[in-house]
Amino acid sequence: MSRVPYARWQEDRATHFVVLLVDGGSWAGPVSWREPVTFGLSFGVTPIAVAWVSSYLRIGVRARTVLLGLFAADCVLEGAGTTVRAWCPVPSRFDMETPFDTGMSMTPAVGGGGLVAILATLSAAAFRRRPGGPPGMALALRAGCGILLVGLLSGAAMIARGVYLTRTRHQLAGHAATASLKPLHGVSPHAVLVLPVLARLLAMTSWSPHTRVSVVRAAVGCYAAAVAAALVWAVAAY
């Protein structure tokens, strides 16, 4: 298969515009700088967010330190692996042309499994013991963790589907098959940060605890509706 951008693969993303101006290359496609830039931003901010959110969970200091250390290392692996693929330049996902390509493509997938395990462990802690923090924080954390798990499962489904189609059909089919799940995978993980931040900001107001909890509850409902809409769209477009 040619290692040039796919003419039929059309996506517009402004997030890698600066890198595009400096390095040149394709504006869209599986060999563009879009995914490395997006991953670099996400995996740079995510460890900070997870470290802050986990401070409200009732888990031991040693366990929290180990989990966050593993999570940070896994984030570095994910970001670096995707960036190396862009330097080649070859598709960052589902490139199975040679044993080396297969190993480089599957490494982020294995790292993704580690992310799922670590975040699932932290989410379980949120439900096992009531999180601390101001009124509404426990609800925000538990709802955010629950929605986060939806995002993790959608990501795992994307990888499994893409790898299967790449091996049985064509690489382009593997990339195209994941498109319907991208909105769901993109929206869901951010709930674990957005909702706790809202609860923290509400704690700075003079509103009563009951009112603050009600606002968080309404925000959870709105976020859940957005995730449900993305899920319906993914099923309909599948």
Side-chain angles (χ1 to χ4, degrees):
M1 178 182 295
S2 174
R3 296 178 182 272
V4 298
Y6 298 105
R8 293 172 54 192
W9 184 265
Q10 297 297 326
E11 278 186 60
D12 290 333
R13 294 291 187 272
T15 53
H16 75 299
F17 182 64
V18 175
V19 177
L20 177 69
L21 290 179
V22 174
D23 186 71
S26 172
W27 173 259
V31 295
S32 71
W33 277 103
R34 179 195 61 79
E35 190 166 10
V37 173
T38 303
F39 270 50
L41 176 63
S42 297
F43 286 111
V45 174
T46 298
I48 301 174
V50 171
W52 174 69
V53 168
S54 66
S55 67
Y56 293 100
L57 302 179
R58 300 185 187 277
I59 57 177
V61 175
R62 180 176 298 180
R64 179 173 177 267
T65 301
V66 170
L67 288 172
L68 291 179
L70 292 174
F71 185 77
D74 211 338
C75 287
V76 172
L77 175 65
E78 290 286 314
T82 306
T83 302
V84 168
R85 303 298 288 167
W87 281 339
C88 289
V90 293
S92 58
R93 301 285 178 181
F94 317 132
D95 184 13
M96 310 291 180
E97 291 186 5
T98 68
F100 176 79
D101 291 332
T102 300
M104 289 295 295
S105 293
M106 294 307 296
T107 296
V110 174
L115 294 178
V116 171
I118 295 169
L119 293 175
T121 301
L122 292 173
S123 298
F127 287 96
R128 185 168 57 249
R129 300 180 61 186
R130 183 179 178 84
M137 182 60 76
L139 172 62
L141 277 170
R142 287 176 169 175
C145 287
I147 297 174
L148 169 65
L149 293 178
V150 174
L152 296 177
L153 291 175
S154 66
M158 290 170 63
I159 294 174
R161 180 68 174 168
V163 170
Y164 171 76
L165 289 177
T166 298
R167 290 186 178 276
T168 59
R169 297 184 188 179
H170 196 273
Q171 188 174 345
L172 183 58
H175 281 280
T178 64
S180 63
L181 285 170
K182 285 184 177 180
L184 179 62
H185 183 61
V187 171
S188 302
H190 298 293
V192 76
L193 177 62
V194 172
L195 297 175
V197 165
L198 174 62
R200 183 74 258 181
L201 292 176
L202 289 172
M204 302 170 62
T205 69
S206 59
W207 296 350
S208 68
H210 176 74
T211 301
R212 282 181 269 167
V213 172
S214 297
V215 172
V216 172
R217 188 177 292 114
V220 169
C222 291
Y223 211 110
V227 172
L231 178 59
V232 170
W233 188 88
V235 172
Y238 182 74

